[in-house]
Amino acid sequence: MKKVYIKTWGCQMNEYDSSKIVDLLQKNQNCIITKESSNADILLLNTCSIREKAQEKVFHQLGRWKHLKKNNNNLIIGVGGCVASQEGEYIIERAPYVDIVFGPQTFHRLPEMLNKFYKTKNAIVDVSFPKLEKFKSFPKTISHSPSAYISIMEGCNKYCAFCIVPYTRGEEVSRPSIDILLEISELAAQGVREITLLGQNVNAYRWFDEKSGKIYTFANLLRLVASITGIDRIRFITSHPIEFKDDLIEVYKDTPKLASFLHLPVQSGSDRILNLMKRSHTISYYKSIIEKLTKARPNIQISSDFIVGFPGETKYDFDQTINFISEINFDMSFSFLYSPRPGTPATYLPDKVKEEEKKYRLYILQNIINKQAKQWSEKMLGTIQRVLVDKILHDNESISGKTENNRVVVFNGSSNNIGKFVDVKITDSNIHFLKGKLINVENDINL
């Protein structure tokens, strides 16, 4: 049996892809997973190209692995993910000790690539974009957790000026709804209680069923997932404001299984910067979504993404963003310094924001967001929260799980509670997690 070590960077989609790579190699290559790179027969790096100097980060990691290959001529090194898609054959040129380069849409061919490499010993590069082919190649999903991620679509058609995703993962393509529902039903039969639907632009999901002539929207899909016995909580990431239609807001009104927490990236509080970013929505439009959502689900909490220091961002633009954050009162948002990605339109915009000023603005913005997140956590003190228990901690006396608004809670309990929804009274909070006291455990029969 060959030992495989896989290192994953980036978003939850990459984590999902890596889990599928593991399934494929276990089934088709008789592989086992090792946590030690020094013990591996196959080293795989699943990369992300969203942030600055992503390529250099990859080559630095490969440089560390190069020494392992010097001691083991039979060691195979593979690079996948978005940097692989972006750089292609250049990875082999710069790091000739790399044997296989595969993209986000071709990792399902990895067993075949390995077989070919064993025979020829020639480097293989496949970063093409076959639509939906990979989903048909996956073995049956096996879950060891009460929570699971399901990819429902790939790619993005929005072409925001700063974003490299359409170039590395391709344009939007949706999986057949029947395949998604079948996979989730199989997971529910294994004890999965919470599903997170994944996509680069998840609410752009569209599937045309030729047999019925019906078009399934994301709202349709959410209701169908909610009808599956055993699934009691549904989340999704990541969505785009321009695709957040009224039919999706209606789901929040009538589908209690849909979590009262939404991550909806806005990127800036300035319309001028949004226009330069090619985001195709305005601040007033974004606010109208939040207003409708809070009417449909009054207790909903919102998180977002912000880019600081986008080319041409003035102090006035930044102040608008700060005012916007204060007005909406976001929870647990993510923020980043702008970094140019190769080939994206924003790369060619004049960048008049000095690096020191960018960092100062980021500090101010993150300080406000952290204060808001802390306030949201403090509001939960003394409340009873419904928590899905998913882990037993190292002391074997504490367990943890997530609330509906995505907070981790630690409390005393046993392994018998894993996979169950429990009621927990929140007793303490800090930056990273909440503490609580177990109040009630559901019956073994699904609620």
Side-chain angles (χ1 to χ4, degrees):
M1 298 182 74
K2 297 181 182 66
K3 295 179 182 178
V4 176
Y5 175 86
I6 182 166
K7 192 176 189 69
T8 306
W9 292 329
C11 63
Q12 260 130 353
M13 184 69 81
N14 268 22
E15 295 287 348
Y16 174 84
D17 288 351
S18 289
S19 72
K20 292 302 181 183
I21 289 172
V22 169
D23 292 344
L24 286 164
L25 294 182
Q26 286 177 332
K27 179 182 178 181
N28 299 302
Q29 289 287 324
N30 196 31
C31 291
I32 59 173
I33 302 303
T34 177
K35 294 182 179 180
E36 299 293 333
S37 58
S38 57
N39 295 333
D41 302 297
I42 302 171
L43 294 174
L44 298 176
L45 182 59
N46 194 6
T47 65
C48 174
S49 60
I50 294 296
R51 300 292 158 233
E52 188 177 13
K53 298 180 180 178
Q55 303 96 307
E56 293 309 309
K57 184 179 179 183
V58 169
F59 288 113
H60 288 158
Q61 179 61 55
L62 292 176
R64 290 189 283 271
W65 283 356
K66 180 181 180 180
H67 300 293
L68 295 176
K69 189 148 189 174
K70 283 183 178 180
N71 298 324
N72 180 5
N73 290 332
N74 294 320
L75 178 65
I76 293 176
I77 297 179
V79 180
C82 290
V83 173
S85 179
Q86 176 185 312
E87 300 297 318
E89 293 185 358
Y90 176 68
I91 292 176
I92 304 291
E93 293 176 16
R94 182 167 167 180
Y97 48 89
V98 172
D99 305 300
I100 297 174
V101 177
F102 55 96
Q105 309 301 347
T106 55
F107 69 76
H108 63 288
R109 297 175 180 172
L110 192 53
E112 178 186 333
M113 294 182 207
L114 285 167
N115 288 336
K116 186 176 180 181
F117 181 80
Y118 291 139
K119 291 179 181 178
T120 66
K121 301 298 180 183
N122 294 326
I124 299 169
V125 178
D126 186 351
V127 291
S128 56
F129 292 89
K131 290 185 177 181
L132 296 178
E133 179 184 295
K134 71 178 183 182
F135 294 104
K136 298 175 183 177
S137 305
F138 293 163
K140 181 179 178 180
T141 302
I142 304 295
S143 178
H144 303 288
S145 169
S147 300
Y149 294 96
I150 299 293
S151 178
I152 68 168
M153 65 170 296
E154 288 272 348
C156 184
N157 294 349
K158 300 302 177 283
Y159 288 92
C160 297
F162 55 83
C163 186
I164 201 167
V165 166
Y167 309 97
T168 58
R169 282 190 176 265
E171 294 197 333
E172 294 167 1
V173 55
S174 298
R175 291 179 65 190
S177 55
I178 187 64
D179 292 353
I180 297 168
L181 297 172
L182 178 61
E183 186 175 357
I184 295 174
S185 296
E186 290 174 345
L187 287 168
Q190 298 171 37
V192 169
R193 309 292 302 279
E194 177 183 271
I195 289 292
T196 301
L197 305 179
L198 296 177
Q200 273 76 36
N201 188 16
V202 69
N203 53 336
Y205 176 86
R206 299 286 187 282
W207 175 254
F208 175 69
D209 184 1
E210 293 182 355
K211 290 184 179 179
S212 65
K214 182 178 178 180
I215 296 176
Y216 288 88
T217 65
F218 185 55
N220 297 144
L221 182 65
L222 284 171
R223 287 197 171 92
L224 290 169
V225 173
S227 71
I228 296 174
T229 301
I231 299 301
D232 293 291
R233 184 181 284 167
I234 305 167
R235 304 182 191 272
F236 59 86
I237 49 175
T238 295
S239 49
H240 193 292
I242 206 66
E243 298 283 358
F244 219 96
K245 308 298 184 184
D246 287 346
D247 65 339
L248 180 51
I249 292 172
E250 288 296 315
V251 182
Y252 280 93
K253 285 184 181 179
D254 58 34
T255 309
K257 288 184 179 182
L258 185 57
S260 293
F261 184 85
L262 171 66
H263 184 70
L264 187 61
V266 64
Q267 308 301 355
S268 174
S270 162
D271 281 339
R272 190 181 74 85
I273 295 299
L274 289 177
N275 184 52
L276 289 173
M277 289 178 168
K278 299 186 183 299
R279 285 290 288 170
S280 67
H281 66 84
T282 62
I283 289 302
S284 62
Y285 178 79
Y286 188 97
K287 287 180 180 178
S288 71
I289 295 173
I290 303 302
E291 183 179 353
K292 292 175 184 177
L293 271 172
T294 51
K295 285 183 180 178
R297 191 74 70 89
N299 62 333
I300 196 167
Q301 288 174 232
I302 313 293
S303 71
S304 195
D305 288 346
F306 295 92
I307 295 175
V308 175
F310 189 79
E313 180 188 75
T314 64
K315 185 178 183 304
Y316 178 72
D317 295 318
F318 178 70
D319 289 342
Q320 284 187 303
T321 298
I322 295 300
N323 293 336
F324 175 68
I325 291 172
S326 299
E327 179 181 352
I328 300 298
N329 195 16
F330 287 102
D331 178 25
M332 300 173 66
S333 292
F334 301 96
S335 52
F336 312 92
L337 289 178
Y338 168 76
S339 59
R341 310 312 305 130
T344 58
T347 305
Y348 306 103
L349 293 174
D351 190 353
K352 299 178 182 178
V353 187
K354 294 181 179 180
E355 195 67 20
E356 295 79 8
E357 179 64 19
K358 288 181 185 179
K359 291 178 180 178
Y360 177 66
R361 292 177 186 177
L362 183 65
Y363 169 78
I364 293 174
L365 185 143
Q366 289 183 338
N367 191 44
I368 292 173
I369 287 176
N370 289 338
K371 284 181 179 178
Q372 289 182 342
K374 185 173 182 244
Q375 288 168 357
W376 277 110
S377 292
E378 289 173 348
K379 286 179 183 178
M380 297 173 70
L381 291 174
T383 64
I384 307 296
Q385 297 291 324
R386 188 169 182 249
V387 174
L388 176 58
V389 183
D390 58 9
K391 289 180 183 177
I392 184 164
L393 304 185
H394 296 301
D395 61 8
N396 290 323
E397 295 181 356
S398 301
I399 54 180
S400 70
K402 286 187 177 180
T403 64
E404 183 147 337
N405 64 339
N406 220 28
R407 289 287 199 283
V408 174
V409 185
V410 176
F411 51 99
N412 287 341
S414 72
S415 59
N416 293 332
N417 301 131
I418 301 293
K420 294 181 180 179
F421 281 96
V422 301
D423 292 330
V424 178
K425 184 175 182 179
I426 306 303
T427 59
D428 194 11
S429 68
N430 60 39
I431 296 174
H432 303 292
F433 61 90
L434 304 173
K435 291 183 180 180
K437 180 181 179 181
L438 183 61
I439 300 296
N440 185 48
V441 181
E442 70 172 6
N443 295 327
D444 290 339
I445 300 174
N446 289 345
L447 294 177

